[in-house]
Amino acid sequence: MAAEELATIPWTGRLDALERERVLGDMRVVLVEPGELVCRVGRPVTYWFGVIDGLLKMSNDTAGPAGLGMPITFTGVPPGGWFGEGTVLKREPYRYNIQALRKSVVAGITAETFHWLLDRSIGFNRFVMMQLNERLGQFIAAREIDRLTDPDARVARSLAALFNPVLYPGVGELLRITQQELGYLVGLSRQRVNEALHALQGSAVIRVEYGGVRVLDLEALRRYGRGA
DNA sequence: TCATTAAATTGTT
DNA sequence: AACAATTTAATGA
């Protein structure tokens, strides 16, 4: 991994020279193909991962035999998103599957380096704390989304979650996601997603683009389906 | 760089 | 689910 690439990762800006040097030597970057699992339920934690490019999904669908409980997609992880700190902190085995929805570039630092940073960098601690707090808000929002019946609103809120600038600073204005992929995440058919996207576009909240969605009004997207 | 072709994605039935 | 139309990516001159 090169120093320039490192600079594109948000939390590295909070580190001092020594810390950055260690991270640079420790960081591994891999290319994952669609469908490939970045980490599997039950596997021991070795890395703290982040998405450089592409799109991942976090789910509990047990690929193995005897599916215990129905498969649920918890969330998508777009560029700029870092995850797994909860399990790294507790040194527990992974509790979810992380699977690539499309060809993606994933970076990771070892659990050892993660703990080393946690022990010495206040900036890094602040980042992790903010990350945990922000994600808690996302999961609460996700519960709300699950109870929405209007597909347009579900798509709107799910999109809003993916456009979260704190958790996913790599996304920016344009989220690279196909309508098929969005369908997988939200749990709707591609046709219905297509319809919903155009309804949102009609409200001037987003713009539908080839292979992606551009946000025009993030606040309106978050509020969609609710009054005021 | 441009033209041609294949692949991916979208829009519609 | 199937199809046609459109956009992007890949290829080779």
Side-chain angles (χ1 to χ4, degrees):
Chain A
M1 152 147 257
E4 308 86 64
E5 292 181 90
L6 197 66
T8 67
I9 297 170
W11 51 265
T12 59
R14 299 168 181 259
L15 309 181
D16 65 29
L18 174 65
E19 291 157 356
R20 209 170 288 138
E21 192 183 346
R22 167 152 178 174
V23 167
L24 188 59
D26 190 61
M27 180 99 49
R28 291 290 170 269
V29 180
V30 292
L31 186 67
V32 288
E33 294 297 321
E36 221 179 303
L37 289 169
V38 176
C39 55
R40 214 180 286 268
V41 172
R43 284 277 204 75
V45 170
T46 45
Y47 278 90
W48 182 53
F49 291 109
V51 179
I52 304 300
D53 191 49
L55 185 67
L56 311 182
K57 75 163 184 181
M58 187 181 296
S59 68
N60 75 340
D61 46 34
T62 158
L68 303 171
M70 90 175 87
I72 297 172
T73 296
F74 295 118
T75 182
V77 188
W82 285 76
F83 55 91
E85 63 279 346
T87 37
V88 174
L89 273 171
K90 291 186 280 185
R91 296 185 180 277
E92 281 181 342
Y94 289 114
R95 302 219 297 274
Y96 320 107
N97 283 324
I98 304 288
Q99 188 176 20
L101 281 178
R102 60 164 60 197
K103 202 169 164 187
S104 304
V105 180
V106 176
I109 60 170
T110 61
E112 286 70 36
T113 296
F114 180 89
H115 279 97
W116 180 78
L117 287 172
L118 217 52
D119 284 341
R120 62 168 282 155
S121 168
I122 289 180
F124 188 74
N125 275 272
R126 288 218 179 98
F127 175 86
V128 171
M129 201 179 293
M130 175 201 65
Q131 172 99 356
L132 290 169
N133 187 44
E134 197 69 26
R135 211 200 310 285
L136 178 61
Q138 286 235 327
F139 276 101
I140 289 171
R143 295 208 53 180
E144 220 179 338
I145 292 173
D146 275 339
R147 298 183 184 198
L148 293 174
T149 53
D150 176 23
D152 292 3
R154 290 177 59 106
V155 171
R157 306 284 188 89
S158 301
L159 274 178
L162 293 173
F163 275 114
N164 184 321
V166 177
L167 284 176
Y168 313 123
V171 173
E173 304 269 289
L174 177 66
L175 174 66
R176 299 267 312 164
I177 189 172
T178 67
Q179 300 177 1
Q180 177 72 76
E181 291 163 346
L182 195 50
Y184 284 140
L185 289 181
V186 184
L188 295 171
S189 70
R190 184 175 71 81
Q191 289 95 321
R192 193 59 190 80
V193 168
N194 182 272
E195 197 181 334
L197 287 177
H198 282 92
L200 296 174
Q201 182 172 244
S203 306
V205 173
I206 60 165
R207 180 137 46 94
V208 181
E209 298 193 3
Y210 185 89
V213 174
R214 187 175 297 277
V215 60
L216 302 177
D217 187 344
L218 183 53
E219 275 312 306
L221 200 57
R222 288 188 171 129
R223 285 196 307 267
Y224 200 91
R226 225 183 322 225

